[in-house]
Amino acid sequence: MNVADSLRVASALERIGYRPTPRAEQADVIVLNTCVVRQSAEDKAYGRLSSLRPLKAARPDLVINLMGCLVGVKGHDRLKARFPFVDVFSPPSDPGPLVAHLTQGETRLLDQAETEQRFLAMDGDLTLPLDERGKLVATHVPVVLGCSHACTFCIIPYRRGVERSRPVGEIIAEIRVLVAQGVKEVTLLGQIVDRYGKDIPDGPSLAGLLRLAQEVDGLERIRFLTSHPNWMNDELLQTVAELPKVMPHIEVPVQAGDDAVLAQMHRGYTADDYRRLVERIRQRIPGVSIATDIIAGFPGESDARFQRTYNLLDELKLDVAHLARYSTRPGTVAERRMHDNVPEVEKWRRFRALEELQEGIAAEISARYLGENVEVLFEEKVRGRWRGRTPTNKLVFLESDQDLRGRLRNVTITWTGPWSMQATLPGQPQFIQPVEMLTLAS
Ligand code: SF4
């Protein structure tokens, strides 16, 4: 979501004449877009913000904009007192306050609310920043902003506000513009993306939105994330199975495999519900890949409860598990009502146990691709190798002198590891993965 928000800010700044610079020291405006979903992200944001203080001291005309979840949607008086050198504070997804600040000389007759209104109206024609046009192959399009669920560990509803769906026409217009600028793949974003349209009377559901996006000429692939187990209905699964541009990849977090922990998290489902959902997804979408999220060390997670999470991951053999160690987020229900009673060292142990387990599962799943022909959309060249993704979102590297940016190619998988694969184009000599020398003892 933050990557999408940053693109939106860059695009808004370009419209009023700004251009990117490679170094912060050369900039007239610095936007620090922040995440606070975990303590480590928040610490990083504060560290980066403090590192900007000397730049502002040396050049008082430099404009510093703090944006995103650190600011939130409910005012920023405390931040202002702590970081007086910040000129503008912006809530997530909103370039309006910065643009109003930068253009205040020219728009003396407009107050900030009017300027923001104008930007809201312009949201539908997002253009990519110049240096991304024709280069960016895959990008994100927010479709649902905020979240109205109340998972006890989560800070997002407090920082990104209540759930609201963007109008369908605005989303499709934005996708068309992105495609005209070279984008081939879009990922539709929402904290619970499956709830798209629930707040728009007579508006389409996510399935309906996918059908409309499918019709956009020149768009090759569509993905969406993140799903919630309670909102993935059969209509949606059927639509993913039917539409050729919608990729068979589902991101649906379980967070824990123990019912007591899930109840404490206020997730609204049980481990068995999640098992049945995975079965349903696999039945309806052949060859689907599934990613999940898990938090290790939630308050009250005993050894036995953790073991149930471990066992669930082992049993379901999902393609990807995004793992996190629990950290208390100020202002959440968990912070107010629960005791963070799993020692840090134990959180790490559980995290590593899950990580090791998932590495084995991912390696096993990837190995099934060996020798297979798969279609890959190539995005960019990284250190001499093209990087792309399969329909199931597996990362593929390929060595070639051809320009493959934005190209869909059938390739042969020649090597697999847990996190990536190596491939060749048809007729291309095989890349030989270096192997360790074996020394045989006599
Ligand atoms: S569904 Fe729960 S975890 Fe996801 S953003 Fe909303 S409150 Fe946070």
Side-chain angles (χ1 to χ4, degrees), residues 381 386 399-405 409 425-426 428:
K381 212 168 190 176
W386 286 101
E399 288 185 8
S400 171
D401 293 334
Q402 294 180 33
D403 183 4
L404 296 178
R405 188 187 296 273
R409 287 281 189 273
L425 290 166
Q428 190 186 8

Side-chain angles (χ1 to χ4, degrees), residues 335-351:
E335 188 236 5
R336 289 197 303 276
R337 300 210 196 126
M338 296 171 204
H339 177 42
D340 182 10
N341 61 350
V342 180
E344 206 50 37
V345 60
E346 181 56 19
K347 285 180 190 164
W348 269 112
R349 187 194 71 74
R350 293 176 189 180
F351 176 90

Side-chain angles (χ1 to χ4, degrees), residues 213-222 243-247:
Q214 161 83 22
E215 298 304 316
V216 174
D217 282 342
L219 182 65
E220 303 280 3
R221 287 181 170 186
I222 307 162
L243 297 183
K245 289 185 184 175
V246 179
M247 295 295 101

Side-chain angles (χ1 to χ4, degrees), residues 55 60 107 117 142-143 183 195 199 212 256 269 280 307 310 318 335 340 361 378 392 394 416 424:
L55 288 183
T107 56
Q117 233 13 68
V143 300
V183 166
R195 283 187 50 84
D199 54 338
L212 291 169
Y269 52 85
R280 214 151 45 91
Q307 194 57 44
Y310 183 95
L318 305 177
E335 188 236 5
D340 182 10
I361 294 169
F378 288 98
T392 49
K394 308 284 180 206
T416 65
T424 54

Side-chain angles (χ1 to χ4, degrees), residues 421-434:
M421 303 175 185
Q422 188 81 35
T424 54
L425 290 166
Q428 190 186 8
Q430 277 213 0
F431 171 82
I432 309 295
Q433 182 69 20

Side-chain angles (χ1 to χ4, degrees), residues 273-288:
D273 292 336
Y274 191 82
R275 276 188 184 90
R276 282 190 289 270
L277 173 66
V278 168
E279 202 182 310
R280 214 151 45 91
I281 296 172
R282 285 176 169 159
Q283 270 170 6
R284 283 172 197 266
I285 311 171
V288 70

Side-chain angles (χ1 to χ4, degrees), residues 146-157 191-192 228 255 267:
C147 179
S148 297
H149 263 229
C151 303
T152 53
F153 55 82
C154 185
I155 188 75
I156 287 172
Q191 305 299 341
I192 304 182
H228 186 288
Q255 304 296 10
R267 290 289 291 176

Side-chain angles (χ1 to χ4, degrees), residues 141-396:
V141 175
V143 300
V144 186
L145 306 173
C147 179
S148 297
H149 263 229
C151 303
T152 53
F153 55 82
C154 185
I155 188 75
I156 287 172
Y158 304 93
R159 299 305 172 100
R160 287 190 171 264
V162 294
E163 177 182 273
R164 61 259 182 227
S165 303
R166 293 179 63 202
V168 61
E170 189 179 291
I171 295 167
I172 297 299
E174 187 164 305
I175 295 174
R176 285 211 182 95
V177 171
L178 290 168
V179 169
Q181 293 172 2
V183 166
K184 305 281 183 197
E185 174 181 308
V186 292
T187 301
L188 309 181
L189 294 181
Q191 305 299 341
I192 304 182
V193 70
D194 332 71
R195 283 187 50 84
Y196 177 74
K198 300 264 180 241
D199 54 338
I200 305 180
D202 304 327
S205 60
L206 179 62
L209 180 62
L210 291 171
R211 287 188 189 280
L212 291 169
Q214 161 83 22
E215 298 304 316
V216 174
D217 282 342
L219 182 65
E220 303 280 3
R221 287 181 170 186
I222 307 162
R223 302 181 189 275
F224 60 91
L225 62 89
T226 301
S227 291
H228 186 288
N230 288 3
W231 296 101
M232 293 221 77
N233 58 28
D234 285 349
E235 183 204 7
L236 178 61
L237 299 180
Q238 202 52 40
T239 305
V240 177
E242 268 172 33
L243 297 183
K245 289 185 184 175
V246 179
M247 295 295 101
H249 177 71
I250 302 288
E251 302 252 353
V252 60
V254 66
Q255 304 296 10
D258 175 82
D259 290 348
V261 174
L262 285 170
Q264 285 279 75
M265 290 176 163
H266 207 204
R267 290 289 291 176
Y269 52 85
T270 63
D272 273 348
D273 292 336
Y274 191 82
R275 276 188 184 90
R276 282 190 289 270
L277 173 66
V278 168
E279 202 182 310
R280 214 151 45 91
I281 296 172
R282 285 176 169 159
Q283 270 170 6
R284 283 172 197 266
I285 311 171
V288 70
S289 66
I290 302 176
T292 196
D293 293 17
I294 293 178
I295 298 172
F298 189 74
E301 186 188 67
S302 61
D303 276 349
R305 288 174 174 175
F306 168 70
Q307 194 57 44
R308 283 188 202 105
T309 297
Y310 183 95
N311 293 349
L312 185 74
L313 191 64
D314 193 20
E315 172 196 330
L316 294 179
K317 307 231 179 303
L318 305 177
D319 296 71
V320 178
H322 307 291
L323 306 173
R325 286 167 295 117
Y326 174 76
S327 60
T328 307
R329 310 310 300 122
T332 57
V333 174
E335 188 236 5
R336 289 197 303 276
R337 300 210 196 126
M338 296 171 204
H339 177 42
D340 182 10
N341 61 350
V342 180
E344 206 50 37
V345 60
E346 181 56 19
K347 285 180 190 164
W348 269 112
R349 187 194 71 74
R350 293 176 189 180
F351 176 90
R352 291 207 182 95
L354 293 171
E355 194 177 45
E356 203 175 301
L357 170 66
Q358 186 58 32
E359 185 170 348
I361 294 169
E364 218 177 288
I365 294 174
S366 290
R368 293 184 209 139
Y369 285 74
L370 199 61
E372 295 291 315
N373 292 324
V374 285
E375 191 176 62
V376 172
L377 175 62
F378 288 98
E379 293 174 28
E380 58 178 347
K381 212 168 190 176
V382 184
R383 288 192 285 279
R385 295 187 305 167
W386 286 101
R387 192 177 70 94
R389 292 201 176 257
T390 66
T392 49
N393 213 32
K394 308 284 180 206
L395 190 57
V396 174

